[in-house]
Amino acid sequence: MAANMSRSCRQYLLHLAQDNLDFRLPEIESLLALGRKSFNTNVNFKETAPFWCLDGLCEEDVKAVMARSVCAKSAYELWGHGRTHSELKTSLLKFPTENMRPFMHQHSTYRINVYTFNKTLEFADRIKRIDAMEYLPFEGTVSLKSPQHVFCLLEDYGTDPNNIPEDPEYVYFGRWIADGQRELIQSHSVKNRHFIGNTSMDAGLSFIMANHAKVKQNDVVFDPFVGTGSLLVACSQFGAYVFGTDIDYNIIHGKGRSCRKNQKWRGPDENIRANLRQYGTEKLYLDVMLSDASKPVWRKTALFDAIITDPPYGIRESTRRTGSHKDMKPGDAVYAESHVPVSQAYHLSDIFKDLLSFSAHHLVLGGRLVYWLPVYRPDYSEEIVPLHPCLQLISNCEQVLSSHTSRRLITMEKVKEPEDMDNQAHLLDPRFSPYEGHNAFRQKYFSGLKKRDTKEDGTSEVNGQ
Ligand SMILES: C[S@@+](CC[C@H](N)C(=O)[O-])C[C@H]1O[C@@H](n2cnc3c(N)ncnc32)[C@H](O)[C@@H]1O
C-alpha cells in the first residue's frame, strides 16, 4: 500500500528547449498519445516556460517520450520544488525516503549538477549550492565521471534576459531520468545532407512534424509533395516505411541544377534514396514517383498511417498542376499543338481541399495528416483553418516568419470513413476562401512585406517559399 502511495504521487519535470515554443505541447501530447497516455500539468504550468511539472505518469512513459522528443532537453523525477531554496527544502523533506533510498544508499555513486536558466553562476556559487543540499540523506560516493545516479538542482531566473532577478523565481531538485533527442537536429542538419533543394525542410521541424503525426515503427508514411525528402528522412529515422510523390521530374530523378554554391549540376547519386542511405534507413525507402498531387492515382482505400507534407505555397512563384487540352479555352492556341502535358495554376484553396480529401480517403482510422498552412497574419483567425468532416483538428502551431507572415503547422486525425456527403461538405466551406484567389493571397503576402518588412538595404525578412 505504502509503495503504491509513493508511486502514485510521483511527479516528473521536463526541461524544454526555448525554441519552437508553440510546437512543444502538441509534441509531448502526441508522444504520450503514441503510448496511449495523457498527463496532468500542475498549477505551475506555463506553456512558454522552460520547465513543466507533469503528473499522472510513470518513469517508462517519460522515457518513451524522451526517446523521441526534439523539443525536450531532459527529464527528471521531481523530488521537490518551491519559490525559494527554503521552500525547496521543505518540499524535499516531504518526499518519501523510501523513494530516495534506492538511489542514495552507501554502495551507490552519484553526482549533483546545477543548472540555471537565464543566468550564469560562478563555479564557487555552484559548489555552494551543492554543499547546501547536504540535508538530503546522501550515503553513496561522489563520482563525477561515471556516476550511477545524477541529481540536478535547477534554478529558473525567468525568461527576460534584460531583467534577470538576483534570486531565482523557482527552484527544482530531481533525479535525472533521460535526455531528449536534440542531437538529431545536428546529426541530420540539411547543411550536411547529401541531396538538398531550396525548400528542404529544416531537420528540427521535420522531426517535430513526424512526432505530431505520431509516426511509429513499421508505419507507412506518404509525402505527396516530397521535394528532396526531408520529411521522409525524419519519419524513417523513427522506423516508418516512406513513400513520396512530386511533380518535378528533376527532383524525383535527382537531376538538374544543383542549389549548392560552387556546383552547377546535381551529382550522379543526389536523390532521396541516397539521403536515407546517408542516415542508415535505406531499407525503409519504399519509393518516390513522379505524380501530380491534384490527380491522385491511388485506389480509394486506406493506405497510409500518416501523411506529412510541406505543400508548395507558391509564394515565390505560382503553383502549377498538370492540365489537359480539355481545360483549354478558345484563344489558348499557343498550347493547342503541344504534346507535353499543359500546366495550369493550382490555387492554394484547391491544394488544401485536395490534401484534406485525399487524407480522408487514404489515411487509416486514427492516422494523422500534418501539413503547413501559410498565413497572412493580419487576416488570420482560427476560422480560416481548413476542416473536413472526417478529420479532427488536433493542433495548430504558429511559426512566425515576419511581422505579417507566418506558417502554421496543422495536425489532423482521421476519425471516420468518408461518405459521399463528406466530399461535398468541405468544398463549400468558407474556410478555404482566403486561399481561393491564389494570386490575391500572394499579393497580400508580399505587400505586407514590402510596406513593413523590407529593410533599407532592400533585403527582406521573408523566409517563405
Ligand atoms: C515546399 S516543396 C517540398 C519540400 C520538401 N519538404 C523538402 O524537404 O525538400 C513543395 C514541392 O511540391 C512540388 N509540387 C508542386 N506542385 C505539385 C503538384 N501539383 N503535385 C505534386 N508535387 C508538386 C514541388 O515540385 C516541390 O518539390
Side-chain angles (χ1 to χ4, degrees), residues 197 199-201 206 223-231 245-248 251 291-294 309-313 319-322 346 351 465:
T199 56
S200 292
M201 180 61 66
S206 301
D223 181 352
F225 303 101
V226 71
T228 58
S230 311
L231 305 179
T245 56
D246 201 286
I247 203 171
D248 185 334
I251 284 268
S291 173
D292 177 353
S294 72
T309 197
D310 177 21
Y313 307 158
T319 320
R320 313 297 295 171
R321 59 176 158 181
T322 53
Y346 192 10
I351 292 183
Q465 297 161 48

PDB file of all heavy atoms in Angstrom, residues 197 199-201 206 223-231 245-248 251 291-294 309-313 319-322 346 351 465, ligand 1:
ATOM      1  N   GLY A 197      17.541  20.841 -51.642  1.00  0.00           N
ATOM      2  CA  GLY A 197      16.969  21.798 -52.585  1.00  0.00           C
ATOM      3  C   GLY A 197      16.699  23.092 -51.842  1.00  0.00           C
ATOM      4  O   GLY A 197      16.935  23.182 -50.629  1.00  0.00           O
ATOM      5  N   THR A 199      14.015  24.355 -50.897  1.00  0.00           N
ATOM      6  CA  THR A 199      12.950  24.334 -49.885  1.00  0.00           C
ATOM      7  C   THR A 199      13.064  23.119 -48.956  1.00  0.00           C
ATOM      8  O   THR A 199      12.068  22.729 -48.342  1.00  0.00           O
ATOM      9  CB  THR A 199      11.559  24.344 -50.562  1.00  0.00           C
ATOM     10  OG1 THR A 199      11.490  23.233 -51.459  1.00  0.00           O
ATOM     11  CG2 THR A 199      11.316  25.621 -51.325  1.00  0.00           C
ATOM     12  N   SER A 200      14.258  22.536 -48.877  1.00  0.00           N
ATOM     13  CA  SER A 200      14.426  21.384 -47.959  1.00  0.00           C
ATOM     14  C   SER A 200      14.029  21.802 -46.548  1.00  0.00           C
ATOM     15  O   SER A 200      14.447  22.860 -46.063  1.00  0.00           O
ATOM     16  CB  SER A 200      15.883  20.920 -47.944  1.00  0.00           C
ATOM     17  OG  SER A 200      16.212  20.368 -49.187  1.00  0.00           O
ATOM     18  N   MET A 201      13.250  20.963 -45.895  1.00  0.00           N
ATOM     19  CA  MET A 201      12.745  21.310 -44.560  1.00  0.00           C
ATOM     20  C   MET A 201      13.832  21.101 -43.514  1.00  0.00           C
ATOM     21  O   MET A 201      14.521  20.079 -43.490  1.00  0.00           O
ATOM     22  CB  MET A 201      11.521  20.425 -44.251  1.00  0.00           C
ATOM     23  CG  MET A 201      10.879  20.651 -42.899  1.00  0.00           C
ATOM     24  SD  MET A 201      10.235  22.305 -42.646  1.00  0.00           S
ATOM     25  CE  MET A 201       8.920  22.344 -43.831  1.00  0.00           C
ATOM     26  N   SER A 206      11.310  18.928 -39.177  1.00  0.00           N
ATOM     27  CA  SER A 206      10.910  17.648 -39.781  1.00  0.00           C
ATOM     28  C   SER A 206      10.639  16.611 -38.686  1.00  0.00           C
ATOM     29  O   SER A 206       9.652  15.872 -38.746  1.00  0.00           O
ATOM     30  CB  SER A 206      12.013  17.104 -40.699  1.00  0.00           C
ATOM     31  OG  SER A 206      12.296  18.025 -41.711  1.00  0.00           O
ATOM     32  N   ASP A 223       4.389  11.375 -48.360  1.00  0.00           N
ATOM     33  CA  ASP A 223       4.509  12.817 -48.578  1.00  0.00           C
ATOM     34  C   ASP A 223       4.176  13.107 -50.043  1.00  0.00           C
ATOM     35  O   ASP A 223       4.963  12.793 -50.933  1.00  0.00           O
ATOM     36  CB  ASP A 223       5.931  13.287 -48.243  1.00  0.00           C
ATOM     37  CG  ASP A 223       6.087  14.798 -48.433  1.00  0.00           C
ATOM     38  OD1 ASP A 223       5.155  15.433 -48.959  1.00  0.00           O
ATOM     39  OD2 ASP A 223       7.145  15.336 -48.042  1.00  0.00           O
ATOM     40  N   PRO A 224       2.990  13.707 -50.316  1.00  0.00           N
ATOM     41  CA  PRO A 224       2.596  13.942 -51.717  1.00  0.00           C
ATOM     42  C   PRO A 224       3.385  15.051 -52.410  1.00  0.00           C
ATOM     43  O   PRO A 224       3.348  15.148 -53.633  1.00  0.00           O
ATOM     44  CB  PRO A 224       1.110  14.320 -51.607  1.00  0.00           C
ATOM     45  CG  PRO A 224       0.900  14.738 -50.201  1.00  0.00           C
ATOM     46  CD  PRO A 224       1.943  14.089 -49.355  1.00  0.00           C
ATOM     47  N   PHE A 225       4.064  15.923 -51.639  1.00  0.00           N
ATOM     48  CA  PHE A 225       4.887  16.999 -52.220  1.00  0.00           C
ATOM     49  C   PHE A 225       6.313  16.791 -51.686  1.00  0.00           C
ATOM     50  O   PHE A 225       6.835  17.598 -50.923  1.00  0.00           O
ATOM     51  CB  PHE A 225       4.352  18.372 -51.794  1.00  0.00           C
ATOM     52  CG  PHE A 225       2.905  18.608 -52.174  1.00  0.00           C
ATOM     53  CD1 PHE A 225       1.885  18.472 -51.239  1.00  0.00           C
ATOM     54  CD2 PHE A 225       2.560  18.968 -53.475  1.00  0.00           C
ATOM     55  CE1 PHE A 225       0.550  18.701 -51.584  1.00  0.00           C
ATOM     56  CE2 PHE A 225       1.231  19.196 -53.832  1.00  0.00           C
ATOM     57  CZ  PHE A 225       0.228  19.058 -52.890  1.00  0.00           C
ATOM     58  N   VAL A 226       6.935  15.717 -52.090  1.00  0.00           N
ATOM     59  CA  VAL A 226       8.088  15.187 -51.348  1.00  0.00           C
ATOM     60  C   VAL A 226       9.354  16.029 -51.477  1.00  0.00           C
ATOM     61  O   VAL A 226      10.194  16.023 -50.576  1.00  0.00           O
ATOM     62  CB  VAL A 226       8.342  13.717 -51.762  1.00  0.00           C
ATOM     63  CG1 VAL A 226       8.898  13.603 -53.165  1.00  0.00           C
ATOM     64  CG2 VAL A 226       9.253  13.021 -50.777  1.00  0.00           C
ATOM     65  N   GLY A 227       9.520  16.768 -52.580  1.00  0.00           N
ATOM     66  CA  GLY A 227      10.739  17.561 -52.754  1.00  0.00           C
ATOM     67  C   GLY A 227      11.966  16.690 -52.567  1.00  0.00           C
ATOM     68  O   GLY A 227      12.071  15.604 -53.141  1.00  0.00           O
ATOM     69  N   THR A 228      12.903  17.146 -51.724  1.00  0.00           N
ATOM     70  CA  THR A 228      14.139  16.382 -51.518  1.00  0.00           C
ATOM     71  C   THR A 228      13.990  15.338 -50.409  1.00  0.00           C
ATOM     72  O   THR A 228      14.977  14.719 -49.997  1.00  0.00           O
ATOM     73  CB  THR A 228      15.309  17.326 -51.173  1.00  0.00           C
ATOM     74  OG1 THR A 228      14.947  18.068 -50.003  1.00  0.00           O
ATOM     75  CG2 THR A 228      15.601  18.276 -52.319  1.00  0.00           C
ATOM     76  N   GLY A 229      12.792  15.193 -49.892  1.00  0.00           N
ATOM     77  CA  GLY A 229      12.516  14.073 -48.987  1.00  0.00           C
ATOM     78  C   GLY A 229      12.906  14.287 -47.530  1.00  0.00           C
ATOM     79  O   GLY A 229      13.034  13.318 -46.780  1.00  0.00           O
ATOM     80  N   SER A 230      13.020  15.543 -47.100  1.00  0.00           N
ATOM     81  CA  SER A 230      13.431  15.774 -45.696  1.00  0.00           C
ATOM     82  C   SER A 230      12.462  15.147 -44.709  1.00  0.00           C
ATOM     83  O   SER A 230      12.874  14.663 -43.645  1.00  0.00           O
ATOM     84  CB  SER A 230      13.472  17.269 -45.389  1.00  0.00           C
ATOM     85  OG  SER A 230      14.174  17.938 -46.376  1.00  0.00           O
ATOM     86  N   LEU A 231      11.166  15.156 -45.052  1.00  0.00           N
ATOM     87  CA  LEU A 231      10.184  14.611 -44.109  1.00  0.00           C
ATOM     88  C   LEU A 231      10.263  13.091 -44.089  1.00  0.00           C
ATOM     89  O   LEU A 231      10.062  12.458 -43.054  1.00  0.00           O
ATOM     90  CB  LEU A 231       8.779  15.096 -44.469  1.00  0.00           C
ATOM     91  CG  LEU A 231       8.668  16.630 -44.554  1.00  0.00           C
ATOM     92  CD1 LEU A 231       7.267  17.054 -44.948  1.00  0.00           C
ATOM     93  CD2 LEU A 231       9.056  17.259 -43.221  1.00  0.00           C
ATOM     94  N   THR A 245       5.671  11.548 -53.593  1.00  0.00           N
ATOM     95  CA  THR A 245       5.483  11.922 -54.998  1.00  0.00           C
ATOM     96  C   THR A 245       5.824  13.402 -55.163  1.00  0.00           C
ATOM     97  O   THR A 245       5.748  14.183 -54.203  1.00  0.00           O
ATOM     98  CB  THR A 245       4.016  11.725 -55.457  1.00  0.00           C
ATOM     99  OG1 THR A 245       3.155  12.470 -54.604  1.00  0.00           O
ATOM    100  CG2 THR A 245       3.610  10.274 -55.454  1.00  0.00           C
ATOM    101  N   ASP A 246       6.196  13.765 -56.379  1.00  0.00           N
ATOM    102  CA  ASP A 246       6.436  15.173 -56.698  1.00  0.00           C
ATOM    103  C   ASP A 246       6.183  15.355 -58.188  1.00  0.00           C
ATOM    104  O   ASP A 246       6.341  14.416 -58.972  1.00  0.00           O
ATOM    105  CB  ASP A 246       7.881  15.566 -56.353  1.00  0.00           C
ATOM    106  CG  ASP A 246       8.036  17.070 -56.165  1.00  0.00           C
ATOM    107  OD1 ASP A 246       8.021  17.795 -57.191  1.00  0.00           O
ATOM    108  OD2 ASP A 246       8.163  17.514 -55.006  1.00  0.00           O
ATOM    109  N   ILE A 247       5.804  16.571 -58.543  1.00  0.00           N
ATOM    110  CA  ILE A 247       5.503  16.860 -59.949  1.00  0.00           C
ATOM    111  C   ILE A 247       6.779  17.179 -60.741  1.00  0.00           C
ATOM    112  O   ILE A 247       6.760  17.200 -61.974  1.00  0.00           O
ATOM    113  CB  ILE A 247       4.512  18.060 -60.028  1.00  0.00           C
ATOM    114  CG1 ILE A 247       3.745  18.049 -61.338  1.00  0.00           C
ATOM    115  CG2 ILE A 247       5.216  19.382 -59.796  1.00  0.00           C
ATOM    116  CD1 ILE A 247       2.613  19.074 -61.381  1.00  0.00           C
ATOM    117  N   ASP A 248       7.873  17.378 -60.027  1.00  0.00           N
ATOM    118  CA  ASP A 248       9.115  17.829 -60.662  1.00  0.00           C
ATOM    119  C   ASP A 248       9.999  16.623 -61.026  1.00  0.00           C
ATOM    120  O   ASP A 248      10.527  15.932 -60.146  1.00  0.00           O
ATOM    121  CB  ASP A 248       9.831  18.769 -59.673  1.00  0.00           C
ATOM    122  CG  ASP A 248      11.075  19.400 -60.269  1.00  0.00           C
ATOM    123  OD1 ASP A 248      11.671  18.803 -61.190  1.00  0.00           O
ATOM    124  OD2 ASP A 248      11.465  20.481 -59.790  1.00  0.00           O
ATOM    125  N   ILE A 251      13.547  16.600 -59.530  1.00  0.00           N
ATOM    126  CA  ILE A 251      13.614  16.269 -58.095  1.00  0.00           C
ATOM    127  C   ILE A 251      13.504  14.755 -57.917  1.00  0.00           C
ATOM    128  O   ILE A 251      14.294  14.133 -57.192  1.00  0.00           O
ATOM    129  CB  ILE A 251      12.450  16.976 -57.339  1.00  0.00           C
ATOM    130  CG1 ILE A 251      12.747  18.459 -57.158  1.00  0.00           C
ATOM    131  CG2 ILE A 251      12.169  16.303 -56.015  1.00  0.00           C
ATOM    132  CD1 ILE A 251      13.439  18.819 -55.866  1.00  0.00           C
ATOM    133  N   SER A 291       4.398  12.416 -59.934  1.00  0.00           N
ATOM    134  CA  SER A 291       2.939  12.412 -59.946  1.00  0.00           C
ATOM    135  C   SER A 291       2.427  13.779 -59.506  1.00  0.00           C
ATOM    136  O   SER A 291       3.046  14.462 -58.684  1.00  0.00           O
ATOM    137  CB  SER A 291       2.437  11.321 -58.993  1.00  0.00           C
ATOM    138  OG  SER A 291       1.057  11.384 -58.855  1.00  0.00           O
ATOM    139  N   ASP A 292       1.284  14.147 -60.064  1.00  0.00           N
ATOM    140  CA  ASP A 292       0.645  15.422 -59.722  1.00  0.00           C
ATOM    141  C   ASP A 292      -0.341  15.161 -58.585  1.00  0.00           C
ATOM    142  O   ASP A 292      -1.282  14.377 -58.747  1.00  0.00           O
ATOM    143  CB  ASP A 292      -0.078  15.925 -60.983  1.00  0.00           C
ATOM    144  CG  ASP A 292      -0.839  17.211 -60.735  1.00  0.00           C
ATOM    145  OD1 ASP A 292      -0.926  17.652 -59.571  1.00  0.00           O
ATOM    146  OD2 ASP A 292      -1.348  17.773 -61.725  1.00  0.00           O
ATOM    147  N   ALA A 293      -0.129  15.836 -57.452  1.00  0.00           N
ATOM    148  CA  ALA A 293      -0.979  15.585 -56.278  1.00  0.00           C
ATOM    149  C   ALA A 293      -2.441  15.937 -56.533  1.00  0.00           C
ATOM    150  O   ALA A 293      -3.321  15.463 -55.817  1.00  0.00           O
ATOM    151  CB  ALA A 293      -0.451  16.369 -55.086  1.00  0.00           C
ATOM    152  N   SER A 294      -2.710  16.762 -57.542  1.00  0.00           N
ATOM    153  CA  SER A 294      -4.111  17.137 -57.797  1.00  0.00           C
ATOM    154  C   SER A 294      -4.852  16.017 -58.532  1.00  0.00           C
ATOM    155  O   SER A 294      -6.065  16.067 -58.673  1.00  0.00           O
ATOM    156  CB  SER A 294      -4.188  18.429 -58.605  1.00  0.00           C
ATOM    157  OG  SER A 294      -3.785  18.203 -59.942  1.00  0.00           O
ATOM    158  N   THR A 309       3.460  16.560 -44.902  1.00  0.00           N
ATOM    159  CA  THR A 309       3.877  17.244 -46.126  1.00  0.00           C
ATOM    160  C   THR A 309       4.018  18.750 -45.954  1.00  0.00           C
ATOM    161  O   THR A 309       3.460  19.345 -45.030  1.00  0.00           O
ATOM    162  CB  THR A 309       2.863  16.916 -47.251  1.00  0.00           C
ATOM    163  OG1 THR A 309       3.440  17.240 -48.504  1.00  0.00           O
ATOM    164  CG2 THR A 309       1.537  17.658 -47.080  1.00  0.00           C
ATOM    165  N   ASP A 310       4.782  19.314 -46.861  1.00  0.00           N
ATOM    166  CA  ASP A 310       5.018  20.748 -46.922  1.00  0.00           C
ATOM    167  C   ASP A 310       4.580  21.174 -48.321  1.00  0.00           C
ATOM    168  O   ASP A 310       5.381  21.161 -49.253  1.00  0.00           O
ATOM    169  CB  ASP A 310       6.535  20.966 -46.710  1.00  0.00           C
ATOM    170  CG  ASP A 310       6.947  22.408 -46.826  1.00  0.00           C
ATOM    171  OD1 ASP A 310       6.095  23.282 -46.671  1.00  0.00           O
ATOM    172  OD2 ASP A 310       8.148  22.642 -47.065  1.00  0.00           O
ATOM    173  N   PRO A 311       3.293  21.521 -48.492  1.00  0.00           N
ATOM    174  CA  PRO A 311       2.794  21.788 -49.843  1.00  0.00           C
ATOM    175  C   PRO A 311       3.455  23.016 -50.450  1.00  0.00           C
ATOM    176  O   PRO A 311       3.981  23.863 -49.728  1.00  0.00           O
ATOM    177  CB  PRO A 311       1.297  22.049 -49.629  1.00  0.00           C
ATOM    178  CG  PRO A 311       0.992  21.586 -48.259  1.00  0.00           C
ATOM    179  CD  PRO A 311       2.250  21.701 -47.475  1.00  0.00           C
ATOM    180  N   PRO A 312       3.425  23.120 -51.779  1.00  0.00           N
ATOM    181  CA  PRO A 312       4.018  24.306 -52.421  1.00  0.00           C
ATOM    182  C   PRO A 312       3.099  25.487 -52.182  1.00  0.00           C
ATOM    183  O   PRO A 312       1.949  25.464 -52.595  1.00  0.00           O
ATOM    184  CB  PRO A 312       4.029  23.915 -53.905  1.00  0.00           C
ATOM    185  CG  PRO A 312       2.928  22.924 -54.042  1.00  0.00           C
ATOM    186  CD  PRO A 312       2.786  22.214 -52.742  1.00  0.00           C
ATOM    187  N   TYR A 313       3.574  26.508 -51.451  1.00  0.00           N
ATOM    188  CA  TYR A 313       2.712  27.662 -51.200  1.00  0.00           C
ATOM    189  C   TYR A 313       2.624  28.524 -52.437  1.00  0.00           C
ATOM    190  O   TYR A 313       1.753  29.348 -52.562  1.00  0.00           O
ATOM    191  CB  TYR A 313       3.278  28.561 -50.102  1.00  0.00           C
ATOM    192  CG  TYR A 313       3.606  27.891 -48.817  1.00  0.00           C
ATOM    193  CD1 TYR A 313       4.516  28.465 -47.949  1.00  0.00           C
ATOM    194  CD2 TYR A 313       2.997  26.701 -48.455  1.00  0.00           C
ATOM    195  CE1 TYR A 313       4.815  27.887 -46.751  1.00  0.00           C
ATOM    196  CE2 TYR A 313       3.305  26.111 -47.253  1.00  0.00           C
ATOM    197  CZ  TYR A 313       4.218  26.710 -46.403  1.00  0.00           C
ATOM    198  OH  TYR A 313       4.527  26.147 -45.212  1.00  0.00           O
ATOM    199  N   THR A 319       1.863  28.285 -58.119  1.00  0.00           N
ATOM    200  CA  THR A 319       1.907  26.832 -58.042  1.00  0.00           C
ATOM    201  C   THR A 319       1.208  26.231 -59.254  1.00  0.00           C
ATOM    202  O   THR A 319       0.204  26.759 -59.698  1.00  0.00           O
ATOM    203  CB  THR A 319       1.190  26.395 -56.750  1.00  0.00           C
ATOM    204  OG1 THR A 319       1.549  27.312 -55.748  1.00  0.00           O
ATOM    205  CG2 THR A 319       1.588  25.025 -56.341  1.00  0.00           C
ATOM    206  N   ARG A 320       1.753  25.147 -59.777  1.00  0.00           N
ATOM    207  CA  ARG A 320       1.224  24.566 -61.002  1.00  0.00           C
ATOM    208  C   ARG A 320       0.758  23.135 -60.758  1.00  0.00           C
ATOM    209  O   ARG A 320       1.207  22.455 -59.848  1.00  0.00           O
ATOM    210  CB  ARG A 320       2.307  24.517 -62.111  1.00  0.00           C
ATOM    211  CG  ARG A 320       3.089  25.781 -62.301  1.00  0.00           C
ATOM    212  CD  ARG A 320       2.263  26.953 -62.746  1.00  0.00           C
ATOM    213  NE  ARG A 320       1.677  26.791 -64.068  1.00  0.00           N
ATOM    214  CZ  ARG A 320       0.779  27.633 -64.573  1.00  0.00           C
ATOM    215  NH1 ARG A 320       0.351  28.659 -63.864  1.00  0.00           N
ATOM    216  NH2 ARG A 320       0.295  27.450 -65.781  1.00  0.00           N
ATOM    217  N   ARG A 321      -0.172  22.727 -61.598  1.00  0.00           N
ATOM    218  CA  ARG A 321      -0.534  21.321 -61.659  1.00  0.00           C
ATOM    219  C   ARG A 321      -0.722  20.989 -63.129  1.00  0.00           C
ATOM    220  O   ARG A 321      -0.820  21.899 -63.963  1.00  0.00           O
ATOM    221  CB  ARG A 321      -1.816  21.043 -60.880  1.00  0.00           C
ATOM    222  CG  ARG A 321      -3.011  21.828 -61.380  1.00  0.00           C
ATOM    223  CD  ARG A 321      -4.239  21.431 -60.617  1.00  0.00           C
ATOM    224  NE  ARG A 321      -5.244  22.467 -60.679  1.00  0.00           N
ATOM    225  CZ  ARG A 321      -6.418  22.397 -60.076  1.00  0.00           C
ATOM    226  NH1 ARG A 321      -6.719  21.346 -59.349  1.00  0.00           N
ATOM    227  NH2 ARG A 321      -7.284  23.366 -60.174  1.00  0.00           N
ATOM    228  N   THR A 322      -0.813  19.694 -63.448  1.00  0.00           N
ATOM    229  CA  THR A 322      -0.982  19.351 -64.849  1.00  0.00           C
ATOM    230  C   THR A 322      -2.394  19.695 -65.276  1.00  0.00           C
ATOM    231  O   THR A 322      -3.340  19.631 -64.495  1.00  0.00           O
ATOM    232  CB  THR A 322      -0.732  17.842 -65.076  1.00  0.00           C
ATOM    233  OG1 THR A 322      -1.543  17.114 -64.177  1.00  0.00           O
ATOM    234  CG2 THR A 322       0.718  17.488 -64.888  1.00  0.00           C
ATOM    235  N   TYR A 346      -2.498  26.081 -59.765  1.00  0.00           N
ATOM    236  CA  TYR A 346      -3.042  25.198 -58.731  1.00  0.00           C
ATOM    237  C   TYR A 346      -3.250  26.089 -57.507  1.00  0.00           C
ATOM    238  O   TYR A 346      -2.305  26.392 -56.783  1.00  0.00           O
ATOM    239  CB  TYR A 346      -2.027  24.079 -58.454  1.00  0.00           C
ATOM    240  CG  TYR A 346      -2.535  22.912 -57.633  1.00  0.00           C
ATOM    241  CD1 TYR A 346      -3.882  22.746 -57.322  1.00  0.00           C
ATOM    242  CD2 TYR A 346      -1.644  21.942 -57.171  1.00  0.00           C
ATOM    243  CE1 TYR A 346      -4.321  21.661 -56.584  1.00  0.00           C
ATOM    244  CE2 TYR A 346      -2.064  20.844 -56.436  1.00  0.00           C
ATOM    245  CZ  TYR A 346      -3.401  20.721 -56.146  1.00  0.00           C
ATOM    246  OH  TYR A 346      -3.829  19.638 -55.399  1.00  0.00           O
ATOM    247  N   ILE A 351      -5.268  23.149 -53.347  1.00  0.00           N
ATOM    248  CA  ILE A 351      -4.238  22.291 -52.741  1.00  0.00           C
ATOM    249  C   ILE A 351      -4.761  21.753 -51.410  1.00  0.00           C
ATOM    250  O   ILE A 351      -4.686  20.553 -51.131  1.00  0.00           O
ATOM    251  CB  ILE A 351      -2.913  23.074 -52.522  1.00  0.00           C
ATOM    252  CG1 ILE A 351      -2.274  23.414 -53.867  1.00  0.00           C
ATOM    253  CG2 ILE A 351      -1.956  22.274 -51.642  1.00  0.00           C
ATOM    254  CD1 ILE A 351      -0.932  24.116 -53.763  1.00  0.00           C
ATOM    255  N   GLN A 465       8.438  30.511 -49.287  1.00  0.00           N
ATOM    256  CA  GLN A 465       8.984  29.817 -50.449  1.00  0.00           C
ATOM    257  C   GLN A 465       8.556  30.481 -51.735  1.00  0.00           C
ATOM    258  O   GLN A 465       7.567  31.148 -51.771  1.00  0.00           O
ATOM    259  CB  GLN A 465       8.469  28.398 -50.447  1.00  0.00           C
ATOM    260  CG  GLN A 465       8.961  27.661 -49.228  1.00  0.00           C
ATOM    261  CD  GLN A 465       8.114  26.458 -48.997  1.00  0.00           C
ATOM    262  OE1 GLN A 465       7.852  25.705 -49.910  1.00  0.00           O
ATOM    263  NE2 GLN A 465       7.645  26.293 -47.808  1.00  0.00           N
TER     264      GLN A 465
HETATM  265  C1  LIG B   1       7.860  23.070 -50.393  1.00  0.00           C
HETATM  266  S1  LIG B   1       8.411  21.893 -51.512  1.00  0.00           S
HETATM  267  C2  LIG B   1       8.627  20.467 -50.524  1.00  0.00           C
HETATM  268  C3  LIG B   1       9.973  20.461 -49.886  1.00  0.00           C
HETATM  269  C4  LIG B   1      10.261  19.175 -49.171  1.00  0.00           C
HETATM  270  N1  LIG B   1       9.527  19.076 -47.921  1.00  0.00           N
HETATM  271  C5  LIG B   1      11.755  19.041 -48.914  1.00  0.00           C
HETATM  272  O1  LIG B   1      12.130  18.929 -47.748  1.00  0.00           O
HETATM  273  O2  LIG B   1      12.531  19.118 -49.855  1.00  0.00           O
HETATM  274  C6  LIG B   1       6.996  21.557 -52.433  1.00  0.00           C
HETATM  275  C7  LIG B   1       7.189  20.522 -53.517  1.00  0.00           C
HETATM  276  O3  LIG B   1       5.917  20.328 -54.137  1.00  0.00           O
HETATM  277  C8  LIG B   1       6.158  20.013 -55.504  1.00  0.00           C
HETATM  278  N2  LIG B   1       4.901  20.265 -56.230  1.00  0.00           N
HETATM  279  C9  LIG B   1       4.413  21.446 -56.696  1.00  0.00           C
HETATM  280  N3  LIG B   1       3.223  21.259 -57.297  1.00  0.00           N
HETATM  281  C10 LIG B   1       2.953  19.928 -57.209  1.00  0.00           C
HETATM  282  C11 LIG B   1       1.865  19.104 -57.645  1.00  0.00           C
HETATM  283  N4  LIG B   1       0.832  19.634 -58.292  1.00  0.00           N
HETATM  284  N5  LIG B   1       1.926  17.776 -57.360  1.00  0.00           N
HETATM  285  C12 LIG B   1       2.986  17.231 -56.699  1.00  0.00           C
HETATM  286  N6  LIG B   1       4.053  17.958 -56.305  1.00  0.00           N
HETATM  287  C13 LIG B   1       4.034  19.290 -56.536  1.00  0.00           C
HETATM  288  C14 LIG B   1       7.306  20.937 -55.886  1.00  0.00           C
HETATM  289  O4  LIG B   1       7.987  20.413 -57.023  1.00  0.00           O
HETATM  290  C15 LIG B   1       8.145  20.921 -54.620  1.00  0.00           C
HETATM  291  O5  LIG B   1       9.172  19.961 -54.710  1.00  0.00           O
END
